[in-house]
Amino acid sequence: LYLYGLARRGMNSTNPKAAFLAGATVGLIVGALVSISNSAAASLRQPRARRTIRPGHYKSGDNFDRYIHEHFFANRSAPGFFVEMGALDGTKGSNTFMFEAALDWRGMLLEANPSSCAKLFENKHRSRSTRLCTAACAEGTPGGALRFEFTTDPFTSAAVDVMDPAWRKHWHSAANNRPVTGIELVPCAPLARL
């Protein structure tokens, strides 16, 4: 919970590195918690031989996936389970690609942007994970949909109604080369239902 609190503060930051790391932290915290709760199911699977992790397996910004692996999961022998929200195409900037490609983890890849989700389904390297074109939202969200604001940079597209105003002003501006290209309703559901 301490890490989650730090991540929440980082998501409200206009500092791009802090905002990116905060989002990555939340995604990996959720993945770790789900992994712990599903450890019995993971141990029933027949894991394939552990692969050597090559530099090309690391895809997240600032080697955040490498840090998480080395500090929290380096000694884990059984495959785990992750949830990545904002999976984009499943490779570029992914916080979970290395866990699936090299360590035989499985997971859920959520992507709300329709064009990014189409690329996610074309990505043959992520075929062992469940891929969903949806966003995560709270139980009882009206219409089961969120208003998403899209920009020319898929990394900064986000749900309008929960976006911090300072973050939005910084990242969704023509001055920052990320003009808004549209707002759409995207389907969403609570994680427990996905």
Side-chain angles (χ1 to χ4, degrees):
L1 291 176
Y2 174 73
L3 287 174
Y4 182 74
L6 290 176
R8 292 292 300 158
R9 276 180 269 164
M11 282 192 270
N12 291 328
S13 173
T14 55
N15 178 324
K17 190 178 260 188
F20 174 80
L21 288 176
T25 301
V26 170
L28 284 168
I29 289 169
V30 169
L33 293 174
V34 172
S35 175
I36 292 165
S37 68
N38 287 327
S39 62
S43 66
L44 295 175
R45 276 184 281 182
Q46 282 289 351
R48 62 175 191 227
R50 189 178 183 118
R51 296 181 187 177
T52 301
I53 300 171
R54 297 186 315 269
H57 283 130
Y58 295 109
K59 302 292 184 187
S60 70
D62 295 328
N63 281 319
F64 192 65
D65 49 356
R66 173 181 242 148
Y67 178 87
I68 291 294
H69 174 252
E70 290 173 356
H71 288 86
F72 298 102
F73 298 110
N75 297 321
R76 181 186 178 101
S77 59
F81 185 87
F82 57 79
V83 175
E84 184 164 10
M85 294 178 244
L88 297 173
D89 68 359
T91 303
K92 184 179 179 182
S94 176
N95 295 308
T96 60
F97 179 86
M98 183 278 302
F99 291 94
E100 183 174 336
L103 303 178
D104 202 30
W105 284 39
R106 303 285 190 274
M108 282 186 2
L109 301 167
L110 307 179
E111 179 52 55
N113 182 329
S115 63
S116 292
C117 195
K119 293 175 186 171
L120 177 61
F121 273 88
E122 293 169 4
N123 189 338
K124 294 177 181 145
H125 299 289
R126 300 310 297 266
S127 62
R128 290 191 304 272
S129 288
T130 301
R131 298 170 275 184
L132 301 170
C133 296
T134 189
C137 61
E139 186 73 47
T141 298
L146 293 174
R147 290 184 324 130
F148 255 64
E149 186 169 81
F150 298 102
T151 67
T152 53
D153 180 357
F155 277 100
T156 63
S157 297
V160 176
D161 300 322
V162 296
M163 196 184 311
D164 180 80
W167 189 90
R168 184 178 187 202
K169 181 179 179 183
H170 179 79
W171 288 106
H172 288 206
S173 68
N176 209 357
N177 278 340
R178 292 175 181 88
V180 173
T181 58
I183 296 178
E184 292 180 35
L185 283 176
V186 297
C188 70
L191 277 177
R193 290 192 191 176
L194 298 173

